Amino acid sequence: MQTMTERTLWAVRKGDEDWQEEVITSTTDAVHFLKARKWAMDNGFDRLRESAFDGSKPDFIKAIRH
């Protein structure tokens, strides 16, 4: 079974504080994601951040030990 990585685009509007980050899109479609990045830049967002989730289970033991 092939795992699809879901990518989320977060952004902050020009003039807003960093904590006012908004979700622009969350998708597995790379083309849609690139279009969303362009849309965000064209519509007043100036700080973009990406996160990815591949569906794998987190390793909490490893996280605690580091």
Coordinates of all heavy atoms in Angstrom, one line a residue:
M1 N 0.8 -1.2 0.0 CA 0.0 0.0 0.0 C 0.9 1.2 0.0 O 1.8 1.4 0.8 CB -0.9 0.0 1.2 CG -1.8 1.2 1.3 SD -3.1 1.0 2.6 CE -2.4 2.0 3.8
Q2 N 0.6 2.2 -0.9 CA 1.4 3.4 -1.0 C 0.8 4.4 -0.1 O -0.4 4.6 0.0 CB 1.3 3.9 -2.5 CG 2.2 5.1 -2.7 CD 2.1 5.6 -4.1 OE1 1.4 5.0 -4.9 NE2 2.8 6.6 -4.4
T3 N 1.7 5.1 0.6 CA 1.3 6.1 1.6 C 1.3 7.5 0.9 O 2.3 7.8 0.2 CB 2.3 6.2 2.8 OG1 2.4 4.9 3.3 CG2 1.8 7.2 3.8
M4 N 0.3 8.2 1.1 CA 0.2 9.6 0.5 C 0.5 10.6 1.6 O -0.1 10.5 2.7 CB -1.3 9.9 0.0 CG -1.8 8.9 -1.0 SD -1.2 9.2 -2.7 CE -1.9 10.8 -3.1
T5 N 1.5 11.4 1.3 CA 1.8 12.5 2.3 C 0.9 13.7 2.1 O 0.7 14.2 1.1 CB 3.3 12.9 2.1 OG1 4.1 11.8 2.2 CG2 3.7 14.0 3.0
E6 N 0.3 14.0 3.2 CA -0.6 15.2 3.3 C 0.2 16.4 3.7 O 0.9 16.3 4.7 CB -1.8 15.0 4.2 CG -2.7 16.2 4.2 CD -4.0 15.9 4.9 OE1 -4.2 14.7 5.3 OE2 -4.8 16.8 5.0
R7 N 0.2 17.4 2.9 CA 0.9 18.6 3.2 C 0.0 19.7 3.5 O -1.1 19.9 2.9 CB 1.8 19.0 2.0 CG 2.8 18.0 1.6 CD 3.5 18.3 0.3 NE 4.2 19.5 0.3 CZ 4.6 20.2 -0.8 NH1 4.4 19.6 -1.9 NH2 5.3 21.3 -0.7
T8 N 0.3 20.5 4.6 CA -0.5 21.6 5.1 C 0.2 22.9 4.9 O 1.4 22.9 5.2 CB -0.9 21.4 6.5 OG1 -1.6 20.1 6.6 CG2 -1.8 22.5 7.0
L9 N -0.4 23.9 4.4 CA 0.2 25.2 4.2 C -0.4 26.2 5.2 O -1.6 26.3 5.3 CB -0.1 25.7 2.8 CG 0.5 27.1 2.5 CD1 2.0 27.1 2.5 CD2 0.0 27.6 1.1
W10 N 0.4 26.7 6.0 CA 0.1 27.7 7.0 C 0.6 29.1 6.6 O 1.7 29.1 6.0 CB 0.7 27.4 8.3 CG 0.5 26.0 8.8 CD1 1.1 24.8 8.4 CD2 -0.5 25.6 9.8 NE1 0.6 23.7 9.1 CE2 -0.3 24.2 10.0 CE3 -1.4 26.2 10.6 CZ2 -1.1 23.4 10.9 CZ3 -2.1 25.5 11.5 CH2 -2.0 24.1 11.6
A11 N -0.1 30.2 6.9 CA 0.4 31.5 6.5 C -0.1 32.6 7.5 O -1.1 32.4 8.1 CB 0.0 31.8 5.1
V12 N 0.7 33.7 7.5 CA 0.3 34.8 8.3 C 0.2 36.0 7.4 O 1.0 36.3 6.5 CB 1.5 35.1 9.3 CG1 1.1 36.3 10.2 CG2 1.7 33.9 10.2
R13 N -0.9 36.7 7.6 CA -1.2 37.9 6.7 C -0.2 39.0 7.1 O 0.3 39.2 8.2 CB -2.6 38.5 7.0 CG -3.7 37.6 6.5 CD -5.0 38.2 6.7 NE -6.1 37.3 6.3 CZ -6.6 37.1 5.1 NH1 -6.1 37.8 4.1 NH2 -7.5 36.3 4.9
K14 N 0.1 39.8 6.1 CA 1.0 41.0 6.3 C 0.4 41.9 7.4 O -0.8 42.1 7.4 CB 1.2 41.8 5.0 CG 1.9 41.1 3.9 CD 2.0 41.9 2.7 CE 2.6 41.1 1.6 NZ 2.6 41.8 0.3
G15 N 1.3 42.2 8.4 CA 0.8 43.1 9.4 C 0.3 42.3 10.7 O 0.1 42.9 11.7
D16 N 0.0 41.1 10.5 CA -0.5 40.3 11.7 C 0.7 39.7 12.5 O 1.8 39.6 12.0 CB -1.3 39.1 11.2 CG -2.7 39.5 10.8 OD1 -3.1 40.7 10.9 OD2 -3.5 38.7 10.3
E17 N 0.4 39.3 13.7 CA 1.4 38.7 14.5 C 1.7 37.3 14.1 O 0.8 36.6 13.5 CB 0.9 38.8 16.0 CG 0.7 40.1 16.5 CD 2.0 40.9 16.7 OE1 3.1 40.3 17.0 OE2 2.0 42.2 16.6
D18 N 2.8 36.7 14.5 CA 3.2 35.3 14.1 C 2.1 34.3 14.6 O 1.8 33.4 14.0 CB 4.5 35.0 14.6 CG 5.7 35.7 13.9 OD1 5.4 36.1 12.7 OD2 6.8 35.7 14.4
W19 N 1.5 34.6 15.8 CA 0.6 33.6 16.4 C -0.8 33.6 15.6 O -1.6 32.8 15.9 CB 0.4 33.9 17.9 CG -0.2 35.3 18.2 CD1 0.5 36.4 18.5 CD2 -1.6 35.6 18.2 NE1 -0.3 37.5 18.7 CE2 -1.6 37.0 18.6 CE3 -2.8 34.9 18.0 CZ2 -2.8 37.7 18.7 CZ3 -4.0 35.6 18.2 CH2 -4.0 37.0 18.5
Q20 N -1.0 34.6 14.7 CA -2.2 34.6 13.9 C -2.1 33.8 12.6 O -2.8 34.1 11.7 CB -2.6 36.1 13.6 CG -2.9 36.9 14.9 CD -3.2 38.3 14.6 OE1 -2.2 39.1 14.3 NE2 -4.4 38.7 14.8
E21 N -1.4 32.8 12.7 CA -1.2 31.9 11.5 C -2.5 31.2 11.1 O -3.3 30.9 12.0 CB -0.1 30.9 11.9 CG 0.4 30.0 10.8 CD 1.5 29.1 11.3 OE1 1.3 28.4 12.3 OE2 2.6 29.2 10.7
E22 N -2.8 31.1 9.9 CA -4.0 30.5 9.3 C -3.7 29.3 8.5 O -2.6 29.3 7.8 CB -4.8 31.5 8.5 CG -5.2 32.8 9.2 CD -5.9 33.8 8.3 OE1 -6.7 33.4 7.5 OE2 -5.6 35.0 8.5
V23 N -4.5 28.3 8.4 CA -4.4 27.2 7.5 C -4.9 27.7 6.1 O -6.1 28.1 6.0 CB -5.1 26.0 8.0 CG1 -5.1 24.9 6.9 CG2 -4.6 25.5 9.3
I24 N -4.1 27.5 5.1 CA -4.5 27.9 3.8 C -5.1 26.7 3.1 O -6.2 26.7 2.4 CB -3.4 28.5 2.9 CG1 -2.7 29.7 3.6 CG2 -3.8 28.8 1.5 CD1 -3.7 30.8 3.9
T25 N -4.4 25.5 3.1 CA -4.9 24.3 2.5 C -4.2 23.1 3.2 O -3.1 23.2 3.8 CB -4.7 24.3 1.0 OG1 -5.4 23.2 0.4 CG2 -3.2 24.1 0.6
S26 N -4.8 22.0 3.0 CA -4.2 20.7 3.4 C -4.6 19.7 2.4 O -5.8 19.4 2.1 CB -4.7 20.3 4.8 OG -4.0 19.2 5.3
T27 N -3.6 19.1 1.7 CA -3.9 18.3 0.5 C -2.7 17.3 0.2 O -1.6 17.5 0.7 CB -4.1 19.2 -0.7 OG1 -4.4 18.4 -1.9 CG2 -2.8 20.0 -1.0
T28 N -3.1 16.3 -0.6 CA -2.0 15.4 -1.0 C -1.7 15.7 -2.5 O -0.8 15.0 -3.1 CB -2.5 13.9 -0.9 OG1 -3.8 13.8 -1.7 CG2 -2.8 13.5 0.5
D29 N -2.4 16.6 -3.1 CA -2.2 17.0 -4.5 C -1.1 18.1 -4.6 O -1.3 19.2 -4.2 CB -3.5 17.5 -5.0 CG -3.5 17.9 -6.5 OD1 -2.4 18.0 -7.1 OD2 -4.5 18.1 -7.1
A30 N 0.0 17.7 -5.2 CA 1.2 18.7 -5.3 C 0.8 19.9 -6.1 O 1.3 21.0 -5.8 CB 2.4 18.0 -5.9
V31 N 0.1 19.8 -7.2 CA -0.3 20.9 -8.0 C -1.2 21.9 -7.3 O -1.0 23.1 -7.3 CB -1.0 20.4 -9.3 CG1 -1.5 21.6 -10.1 CG2 0.0 19.6 -10.2
H32 N -2.2 21.3 -6.6 CA -3.0 22.2 -5.7 C -2.2 22.9 -4.7 O -2.5 24.1 -4.4 CB -4.1 21.3 -5.1 CG -5.0 22.1 -4.1 ND1 -6.0 22.9 -4.5 CD2 -4.9 22.2 -2.8 CE1 -6.6 23.4 -3.5 NE2 -5.9 23.0 -2.4
F33 N -1.3 22.2 -4.1 CA -0.5 22.9 -3.0 C 0.3 24.0 -3.6 O 0.4 25.1 -3.0 CB 0.5 21.8 -2.4 CG 1.2 22.3 -1.2 CD1 0.5 22.2 0.0 CD2 2.4 22.9 -1.2 CE1 1.1 22.7 1.2 CE2 3.0 23.3 -0.1 CZ 2.4 23.2 1.1
L34 N 0.9 23.9 -4.8 CA 1.7 25.0 -5.4 C 0.8 26.1 -5.8 O 1.2 27.3 -5.6 CB 2.4 24.5 -6.6 CG 3.6 23.5 -6.4 CD1 4.1 22.9 -7.7 CD2 4.7 24.2 -5.5
K35 N -0.4 25.9 -6.2 CA -1.4 26.9 -6.5 C -1.8 27.7 -5.3 O -2.0 28.9 -5.3 CB -2.6 26.3 -7.2 CG -2.4 25.9 -8.7 CD -3.6 25.3 -9.3 CE -3.4 24.9 -10.7 NZ -4.6 24.3 -11.3
A36 N -1.9 26.9 -4.2 CA -2.3 27.5 -2.9 C -1.2 28.5 -2.4 O -1.5 29.5 -1.9 CB -2.6 26.5 -1.9
R37 N 0.1 28.1 -2.6 CA 1.2 28.9 -2.2 C 1.1 30.3 -3.0 O 1.3 31.3 -2.4 CB 2.5 28.2 -2.5 CG 2.9 27.2 -1.5 CD 4.3 26.7 -1.8 NE 5.3 27.7 -1.7 CZ 5.9 28.1 -0.5 NH1 5.6 27.5 0.6 NH2 6.8 29.0 -0.5
K38 N 0.9 30.2 -4.3 CA 0.8 31.4 -5.1 C -0.4 32.2 -4.7 O -0.2 33.4 -4.5 CB 0.7 31.0 -6.6 CG 0.7 32.2 -7.5 CD 0.6 31.9 -8.9 CE 0.5 33.0 -9.9 NZ 0.2 34.3 -9.4
W39 N -1.5 31.6 -4.4 CA -2.7 32.3 -4.0 C -2.4 33.1 -2.7 O -2.8 34.3 -2.6 CB -3.9 31.4 -3.8 CG -5.1 32.1 -3.3 CD1 -6.1 32.6 -4.1 CD2 -5.4 32.3 -1.9 NE1 -7.0 33.2 -3.3 CE2 -6.7 33.1 -2.0 CE3 -4.9 32.0 -0.7 CZ2 -7.3 33.5 -0.8 CZ3 -5.5 32.4 0.4 CH2 -6.7 33.2 0.4
A40 N -1.8 32.4 -1.8 CA -1.5 33.1 -0.5 C -0.6 34.3 -0.7 O -0.8 35.4 -0.1 CB -0.8 32.1 0.5
M41 N 0.5 34.2 -1.5 CA 1.4 35.3 -1.7 C 0.6 36.4 -2.4 O 0.9 37.6 -2.1 CB 2.6 34.8 -2.5 CG 3.5 33.8 -1.8 SD 4.2 34.4 -0.3 CE 5.3 35.6 -0.9
D42 N -0.3 36.1 -3.4 CA -1.0 37.1 -4.1 C -2.1 37.8 -3.3 O -2.6 38.8 -3.7 CB -1.6 36.5 -5.4 CG -0.6 36.1 -6.4 OD1 0.6 36.5 -6.3 OD2 -1.0 35.3 -7.3
N43 N -2.5 37.2 -2.1 CA -3.6 37.7 -1.3 C -3.2 38.1 0.0 O -4.0 38.1 1.0 CB -4.7 36.6 -1.3 CG -5.4 36.5 -2.6 OD1 -6.4 37.2 -2.8 ND2 -5.0 35.5 -3.4
G44 N -2.0 38.7 0.2 CA -1.6 39.4 1.4 C -1.0 38.6 2.5 O -0.9 39.0 3.6
F45 N -0.6 37.4 2.2 CA 0.2 36.6 3.2 C 1.6 36.7 2.9 O 2.1 36.6 1.7 CB -0.3 35.1 3.1 CG -1.7 34.9 3.6 CD1 -2.8 35.0 2.7 CD2 -2.0 34.6 4.9 CE1 -4.1 34.8 3.1 CE2 -3.3 34.4 5.3 CZ -4.4 34.5 4.4
D46 N 2.5 36.8 3.9 CA 3.9 37.0 3.7 C 4.8 36.0 4.4 O 6.0 35.9 4.1 CB 4.3 38.4 4.0 CG 4.2 38.8 5.4 OD1 3.6 38.1 6.2 OD2 4.7 39.9 5.8
R47 N 4.2 35.3 5.3 CA 5.0 34.2 6.0 C 4.3 32.9 5.9 O 3.3 32.7 6.4 CB 5.2 34.6 7.5 CG 6.1 35.8 7.7 CD 6.0 36.4 9.1 NE 4.8 37.3 8.9 CZ 4.2 37.8 10.0 NH1 4.6 37.6 11.2 NH2 3.2 38.7 9.8
L48 N 5.0 32.0 5.1 CA 4.4 30.7 4.8 C 5.2 29.6 5.5 O 6.4 29.7 5.7 CB 4.4 30.4 3.3 CG 3.7 31.5 2.4 CD1 3.8 31.0 1.0 CD2 2.3 31.7 2.8
R49 N 4.5 28.6 5.9 CA 5.1 27.5 6.6 C 4.4 26.2 6.1 O 3.2 26.2 5.9 CB 5.0 27.6 8.1 CG 5.6 26.4 8.9 CD 5.5 26.7 10.4 NE 4.1 26.7 10.9 CZ 3.5 25.6 11.4 NH1 4.1 24.4 11.3 NH2 2.3 25.7 11.9
E50 N 5.2 25.1 5.9 CA 4.6 23.9 5.4 C 4.8 22.8 6.5 O 5.8 22.8 7.2 CB 5.3 23.4 4.2 CG 5.2 24.3 3.0 CD 6.0 23.8 1.8 OE1 6.3 22.6 1.7 OE2 6.3 24.6 0.9
S51 N 3.8 21.9 6.6 CA 4.0 20.7 7.5 C 3.6 19.5 6.7 O 2.7 19.7 5.7 CB 3.3 20.9 8.8 OG 1.9 21.0 8.6
A52 N 4.1 18.4 7.0 CA 3.8 17.2 6.2 C 3.4 16.0 7.2 O 4.0 15.9 8.3 CB 4.9 16.8 5.3
F53 N 2.5 15.2 6.8 CA 2.1 14.0 7.6 C 1.9 12.9 6.6 O 1.1 12.9 5.7 CB 0.8 14.3 8.3 CG 0.3 13.1 9.1 CD1 1.0 12.6 10.2 CD2 -0.9 12.5 8.8 CE1 0.6 11.5 10.9 CE2 -1.4 11.4 9.5 CZ -0.6 10.9 10.6
D54 N 2.7 11.8 6.9 CA 2.6 10.6 6.0 C 1.7 9.5 6.5 O 1.7 8.4 5.9 CB 4.0 10.1 5.7 CG 4.7 9.6 6.9 OD1 4.1 9.5 8.0 OD2 5.9 9.2 6.8
G55 N 1.0 9.7 7.6 CA 0.1 8.7 8.1 C 0.8 7.7 9.0 O 0.1 6.9 9.6
S56 N 2.1 7.9 9.2 CA 2.7 6.9 10.1 C 2.4 7.2 11.6 O 2.1 8.4 12.0 CB 4.2 6.9 9.9 OG 4.7 8.2 10.2
K57 N 2.5 6.2 12.4 CA 2.2 6.4 13.8 C 3.4 7.1 14.5 O 4.6 6.8 14.2 CB 2.0 5.0 14.5 CG 0.8 4.3 14.0 CD 0.6 3.0 14.7 CE -0.5 2.2 14.1 NZ -0.6 0.9 14.7
P58 N 3.2 8.0 15.4 CA 4.3 8.7 16.1 C 5.0 7.7 17.1 O 4.4 6.8 17.6 CB 3.7 9.8 16.9 CG 2.2 9.4 17.0 CD 1.9 8.5 15.8
D59 N 6.3 7.9 17.2 CA 7.1 7.1 18.2 C 7.2 7.9 19.5 O 8.2 8.6 19.6 CB 8.4 6.7 17.6 CG 9.3 5.8 18.4 OD1 8.9 5.6 19.6 OD2 10.3 5.3 18.0
F60 N 6.3 7.7 20.4 CA 6.3 8.6 21.6 C 7.5 8.2 22.5 O 8.1 9.1 23.2 CB 5.0 8.4 22.4 CG 3.8 9.0 21.7 CD1 2.8 8.2 21.1 CD2 3.8 10.4 21.5 CE1 1.8 8.8 20.4 CE2 2.7 11.0 20.8 CZ 1.7 10.2 20.3
I61 N 7.9 7.0 22.5 CA 9.0 6.5 23.4 C 10.3 7.3 22.9 O 11.1 7.8 23.7 CB 9.2 5.0 23.3 CG1 8.0 4.3 23.8 CG2 10.5 4.6 24.1 CD1 7.6 4.7 25.3
K62 N 10.5 7.3 21.6 CA 11.7 8.0 21.0 C 11.6 9.5 21.3 O 12.6 10.1 21.7 CB 11.7 7.8 19.5 CG 12.9 8.4 18.8 CD 12.9 8.1 17.4 CE 14.1 8.7 16.7 NZ 14.1 8.5 15.2
A63 N 10.5 10.1 21.3 CA 10.3 11.5 21.6 C 10.6 11.8 23.0 O 11.2 12.8 23.3 CB 8.9 12.0 21.2
I64 N 10.3 10.9 23.9 CA 10.5 11.1 25.4 C 12.0 11.0 25.7 O 12.5 11.8 26.5 CB 9.7 10.1 26.2 CG1 8.2 10.4 26.1 CG2 10.1 10.2 27.6 CD1 7.3 9.4 26.7
R65 N 12.7 10.1 25.0 CA 14.1 9.8 25.3 C 15.0 10.9 24.7 O 16.2 10.9 25.1 CB 14.5 8.4 24.8 CG 13.8 7.4 25.7 CD 14.3 6.0 25.3 NE 13.6 5.0 26.1 CZ 13.4 3.8 25.8 NH1 13.9 3.3 24.7 NH2 12.7 3.0 26.6
H66 N 14.6 11.7 23.8 CA 15.5 12.7 23.2 C 15.3 14.0 23.8 O 14.6 14.7 24.2 CB 15.2 12.8 21.7 CG 15.9 11.6 21.0 ND1 15.1 10.6 20.5 CD2 17.1 11.3 20.8 CE1 15.9 9.7 19.9 NE2 17.1 10.1 20.1

